[in-house]
Amino acid sequence: MKIGLTPAQQNRLIELGENADSLSVCFEDSGACNRYFQKEEEALVRKNREKLQTLLLEDRRPQLCALQEDLAAALRAKGFLQVTTPALISRKFLDRMTIDGSHPLNEQVFWVDKNTCLRPMLAPNLYDISRRLLSVSPQPLRIFEIGSCFRKESEGKSHLKEFTMLNLVEWGLEEESRVSRLKELAQITMEAARIQEYRFVEEESVVYGKGLDVVDAQGLELASTSMGPHKLDAAWKMSCTWVGLGTGLERLLMSREKAGGIHRYSKSLSYLDGACLSIR
Ligand code: ATP
Ligand code: MG
């Protein structure tokens, strides 16, 4: 009878960053299997320790922080204003996004009290602040925010309950140039994130309807885009053309670093910058 790794052994190796393909090994007896596990575990612990030492001595910040800075700098250089707005938002703001009782995203919202939730997206605050800024700014107005968003997800390999979203929006551009501008903005974003292989696909959003998504070589969604005038605009008293793009920074890192899962690049107590912290 052939012996394979136990589920606990498999989970431990996955936690340490083992490639999923290397887990289906078989042995003649449990002794050989355990020896294999111990050797693999030791090697992976060493690798994770080295990663953490490099982080401590050289990089001194996780890539999530570096990516945040790189994206912000690239967008500011292209004329975008960076804003930072509250993570707690009111029910009224979600209603204006039409995320009410029957909406699919409603199930994913973390409510703090009857009228306050953790924002599942940055768009409501960006709508609100844009309207105020447009009274003092010429068009096109370009703004972006990078900040935490929260969604109740069934937490697969590429979803987090708390993730870092970049949302950018450009108001008041030529209507005919919207698609090409969206592609340009996606290119600026992917270049700043050092993601070389990506493509555009048409996708249906539960909030905005039809839009262009950016997906990586494996088909993983990296970003969603949308454009207006849009039927949501009226509730925010906006009535000009716009293009917008939203992307998750941990998703970008997972794709760029070819990681098996998103968690090792998330805000976490178990991982730091891709390295596992349970290494004794
Ligand atoms: P998905 O289809 O992957 O669940 P979505 O279409 O619901 O994503 P959007 O509302 O389009 O997500 O959000 C914009 C971007 O934010 C996504 O393209 C993705 O990069 C990122 N994102 C969304 N939800 C999560 C999550 N739970 N964890 C990590 N990143 C996320
Ligand atoms: Mg999407």
Side-chain angles (χ1 to χ4, degrees):
M1 195 182 68
K2 294 274 189 191
I3 305 279
L5 293 165
T6 65
Q9 288 174 329
Q10 291 193 6
N11 287 340
R12 173 64 177 151
L13 296 183
I14 289 170
E15 181 187 33
L16 289 166
E18 180 78 297
N19 193 322
D21 306 337
S22 324
L23 296 172
S24 43
V25 281
C26 280
F27 300 89
E28 292 302 327
D29 58 74
S30 58
C33 186
N34 288 339
R35 281 193 297 281
Y36 171 84
F37 168 73
Q38 274 165 12
K39 218 170 124 213
E40 282 297 291
E41 190 191 25
E42 263 169 41
L44 288 168
V45 163
R46 209 175 313 119
K47 241 168 117 174
N48 280 281
R49 184 167 289 137
E50 281 164 14
K51 258 192 189 170
L52 288 172
Q53 272 158 357
T54 309
L55 185 65
L56 281 160
L57 296 173
E58 293 171 24
D59 301 338
R60 298 220 182 90
R61 60 175 179 182
Q63 293 176 74
L64 182 58
C65 298
L67 177 57
Q68 206 161 315
E69 285 180 18
D70 292 346
L71 289 167
L75 290 170
R76 286 197 306 266
K78 297 287 179 188
F80 280 80
L81 165 75
Q82 184 166 11
V83 298
T84 179
T85 70
L88 289 173
I89 65 170
S90 67
R91 180 182 289 276
K92 185 179 74 189
F93 269 28
L94 280 197
D95 288 347
R96 281 193 207 159
M97 298 297 293
T98 67
I99 303 173
D100 50 17
S102 58
H103 195 280
L105 241 187
N106 188 51
E107 294 289 303
Q108 294 184 260
V109 177
F110 287 100
W111 289 99
V112 175
D113 63 31
K114 210 167 111 268
N115 288 313
T116 317
C117 67
L118 293 170
R119 60 185 176 191
M121 51 172 59
L122 303 178
N125 288 354
L126 290 184
Y127 257 125
D128 192 64
I129 211 164
S130 296
R131 180 174 51 81
R132 294 157 194 269
L133 282 169
L134 273 174
S135 67
V136 295
S137 160
Q139 293 184 21
L141 168 69
R142 305 182 176 99
I143 71 169
F144 73 98
E145 175 163 10
I146 299 174
S148 286
C149 288
F150 304 83
R151 292 183 190 178
K152 287 183 192 167
E153 304 271 9
S154 36
E155 289 241 15
K157 269 183 7 185
S158 50
H159 287 89
L160 296 162
K161 289 191 173 77
E162 175 177 358
F163 62 100
T164 315
M165 180 94 91
L166 156 69
N167 198 162
L168 63 85
V169 61
E170 182 166 308
W171 299 94
L173 68 169
E174 296 291 329
E175 189 150 350
E176 317 73 67
S177 65
R178 288 175 303 169
V179 172
S180 61
R181 183 61 178 152
L182 266 181
K183 290 188 173 170
E184 244 169 56
L185 292 170
Q187 192 192 336
I188 291 166
T189 308
M190 293 305 141
E191 217 165 83
R194 289 187 278 119
I195 290 182
Q196 272 127 23
E197 271 187 81
Y198 62 90
R199 62 195 158 84
F200 296 93
V201 295
E202 273 198 6
E203 189 60 61
E204 194 72 24
S205 152
V206 290
V207 178
Y208 298 104
K210 218 182 198 153
L212 268 188
D213 270 10
V214 181
V215 301
D216 76 1
Q218 277 66 48
L220 176 70
E221 176 180 325
L222 297 176
S224 277
T225 71
S226 191
M227 64 173 78
H230 192 279
K231 64 178 190 303
L232 288 178
D233 299 350
W236 301 93
K237 299 193 170 58
M238 298 296 276
S239 59
C240 56
T241 52
W242 61 269
V243 290
L245 175 146
T247 183
L249 273 62
E250 296 85 354
R251 220 23 113 72
L252 295 176
L253 289 173
M254 172 192 174
S255 172
R256 183 178 84 195
E257 302 303 321
K258 301 190 169 38
I262 196 166
H263 294 87
R264 54 188 65 239
Y265 290 101
S266 67
K267 292 183 179 174
S268 169
L269 298 175
S270 309
Y271 300 102
L272 186 55
D273 200 29
C276 177
L277 289 167
S278 311
I279 48 172
R280 288 186 304 273

